[in-house]
Amino acid sequence: MTVPEIIPVAHEPDYRTSTIGRFSGGQFLASITYASPDGFAMGDGWEEQQRLFVVLHTFDHDGRHRESDIWCAGTWAEQMKRPYDERSVVARAEARLADLLAGLAEREYCDIAIRPFRLTVDGVVFGLITECHAEDEDGEHDWAELYPDQLGFSAPWNGEYDT
């Protein structure tokens, strides 16, 4: 089954899609996620490459990507230096996300439906990207992957995802 033009994303409170929904300007998808630059290979110094991003993607009412606010709160190495501090990387990320969400007029958390999009910020790929296979591949199906969150959407295209 081919990837649909508009991909549903189900709202799941208290889980990976808890901060998605609609607002007066359209739809939004927000998250806090660790990511590394494209081409990163695990090895010495990985803690400096693993960065925590606060992401807010906005879409029009028809699911077209409008803009993204992507902010790096810091690295895994910084987080480990003060993991429980009110100024930790995670605490800064949570505060930034709360501010971004507060800025969305008439915000409601609910299911959304968006079109694939892609952008790269600081060497990290962000977006909902289609992954298509040739018809002759062994049982592989087409899907869409939310990067860098690593949420995969596929048939029956009901908004549920795999991690």
Side-chain angles (χ1 to χ4, degrees):
M1 179 181 248
T2 61
V3 177
E5 225 178 278
I6 300 174
I7 300 166
V9 180
H11 174 250
E12 289 192 62
D14 302 318
Y15 202 54
R16 304 276 301 273
T17 57
S18 64
T19 50
I20 69 168
R22 299 185 181 279
F23 70 111
S24 62
Q27 303 177 75
F28 68 92
L29 187 155
S31 68
I32 297 174
T33 185
Y34 274 102
S36 300
D38 199 22
F40 166 77
M42 191 61 104
D44 289 340
W46 71 268
E47 301 91 345
E48 293 296 335
Q49 294 298 312
Q50 191 76 19
R51 296 173 281 171
L52 187 63
F53 289 93
V54 178
V55 179
L56 173 64
H57 300 297
T58 57
F59 309 86
D60 67 15
H61 294 284
D62 294 322
R64 287 181 196 87
H65 180 251
R66 292 172 76 194
E67 63 183 354
S68 295
D69 185 316
I70 299 171
W71 180 73
C72 180
T75 66
W76 179 255
E78 291 174 87
Q79 175 63 24
M80 291 299 90
K81 288 178 185 171
R82 40 168 64 147
Y84 306 108
D85 191 284
E86 64 188 29
R87 295 170 293 155
S88 72
V89 170
V90 169
R92 291 193 312 258
E94 289 170 347
R96 171 72 177 227
L97 181 62
D99 287 346
L100 290 173
L101 293 171
L104 297 174
E106 300 174 33
R107 177 186 72 247
E108 70 170 303
Y109 298 108
C110 60
D111 296 351
I112 62 173
I114 59 175
R115 297 169 191 268
F117 70 102
R118 178 188 186 116
L119 63 144
T120 302
V121 175
D122 294 334
V124 177
V125 175
F126 293 86
L128 183 61
I129 301 169
T130 57
E131 306 282 349
C132 299
H133 299 281
E135 287 185 35
D136 59 0
E137 289 191 36
D138 285 334
E140 289 289 335
H141 299 283
D142 295 344
W143 78 94
E145 184 89 13
L146 182 65
Y147 285 92
D149 301 78
Q150 297 181 333
L151 302 182
F153 299 88
S154 61
W157 304 106
N158 58 6
E160 295 178 3
Y161 56 85
D162 290 321
T163 55

